[in-house]
Amino acid sequence: SERLVPIESDVRARGGEAFVRVADMNDFASHPQILEEAAAALGGIDLVYVCHGTLPDQKECERDIALMRRELDTNFTSAASILSLAANY
């Protein structure tokens, strides 16, 4: 979470509001709560930046389908989930 402080400070220095929360983005059930907390803290949601992900070993993902699926959940499905819910705001 401490690595997020400079990013939050930068957003605020540019005149924006920021809601920063550390979360397991593969916990899809937590996404509605995260957005509710953000909307409450910010008085609504106008824009969402999704900044998370991993950089897996490509060859390993080609050999290990379970790993590939986990990486897809982390790097694509979780972002699609939170953004789909955020679009309702």
Side-chain angles (χ1 to χ4, degrees), residues 41-83:
L42 299 169
I45 296 175
D46 297 319
L47 178 68
V48 175
Y49 285 108
V50 175
C51 303
H52 74 277
T54 60
L55 186 58
D57 180 286
Q58 179 68 34
K59 292 293 183 191
E60 187 64 27
C61 285
E62 291 171 8
R63 288 187 295 271
D64 184 341
I65 299 303
L67 174 62
M68 181 264 308
R69 290 183 66 191
R70 283 192 307 274
E71 293 300 330
L72 283 173
D73 277 349
T74 298
N75 293 301
F76 172 73
T77 310
S78 64
S81 170
I82 196 91
L83 290 171

Side-chain angles (χ1 to χ4, degrees), residues 8-38:
E8 180 180 15
S9 297
D10 183 61
V11 169
R12 292 184 189 282
R14 295 170 190 271
E17 290 295 321
F19 172 78
V20 177
R21 184 176 189 277
V22 175
D24 175 358
M25 295 307 292
N26 285 323
D27 178 7
F28 298 103
S30 71
H31 293 183
Q33 180 182 353
I34 291 168
L35 289 167
E36 288 173 19
E37 290 174 14

